[in-house]
């Protein structure tokens, strides 16, 4: 293993996750933003619909079965097609490695085809279910689901060039 990979692996061992919120949303014409720089990252799974998402200087058009990433502290703009609105799961979270945002250490593709969209959807279902629970382990289950989603995003190989 090269030195850079070893450094990243060691930082990932110490990663901390803070989940902001997660849910299923059916977007309408009010789901739009011309410019935002949120302090959290977001992973979304598109179930249906069309739209446009801009991250800094990159424009993507996520479609059904795709996962996309909105890294924290990036300039974001988005909107959906009002005739074919997005239906999407989302998760807002922070992940830090030694006080550095993970996505400052590694650069992931902003949009990928999920190898197994049903698995991705099940992870989101588990996440949303955990967020709504009040048992003492629900926070741990939610963090586990976020980590599993990140693994899907990092490990699926069918990357879409943007």
């Amino acid at each position: 293993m090269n030195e850079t990979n070893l450094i990243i692996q060691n930082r990932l061992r110490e990663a901390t996750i803070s989940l902001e919120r997660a849910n299923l949303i059916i977007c309408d014409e009010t789901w739009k933003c011309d410019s935002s720089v949120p302090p959290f990252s977001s992973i979304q799974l598109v179930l249906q619909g069309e739209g446009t998402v801009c991250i800094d200087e990159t424009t993507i058009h996520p479609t059904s079965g795709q996962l996309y990433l909105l890294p924290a502290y990036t300039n974001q703009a988005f909107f959906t097609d009002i005739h074919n609105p997005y239906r999407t799961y989302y998760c807002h979270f922070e992940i830090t490695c030694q006080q550095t945002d993970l996505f400052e250490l590694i650069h992931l593709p902003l949009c990928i085809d999920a190898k197994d969209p049903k698995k991705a959807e099940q992870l989101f279902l588990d996440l949303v279910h955990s967020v709504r629970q009040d048992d003492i382990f629900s926070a741990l289950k939610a963090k586990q689901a976020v980590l599993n989603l990140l693994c899907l995003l990092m490990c699926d190989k069918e990357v879409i060039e943007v």
Side-chain angles (χ1 to χ4, degrees), residues 10-61:
N10 284 334
R11 290 217 178 153
L12 286 171
R13 282 187 185 107
E14 301 169 4
T16 60
I17 294 179
S18 175
L19 177 62
E20 299 294 320
R21 63 187 152 285
N23 211 344
L24 172 66
I25 186 171
I26 299 171
C27 306
D28 60 16
E29 65 275 354
T30 64
W31 188 83
K32 60 183 172 183
C33 178
D34 291 329
S35 181
S36 175
V37 182
F40 52 80
S41 296
S42 179
I43 294 176
Q44 301 201 19
L45 172 65
V46 178
L47 300 177
Q48 68 184 52
E50 297 176 13
T52 300
V53 179
C54 301
I55 303 111
D56 289 333
E57 302 296 318
T58 303
T59 300
I60 59 175
H61 303 279

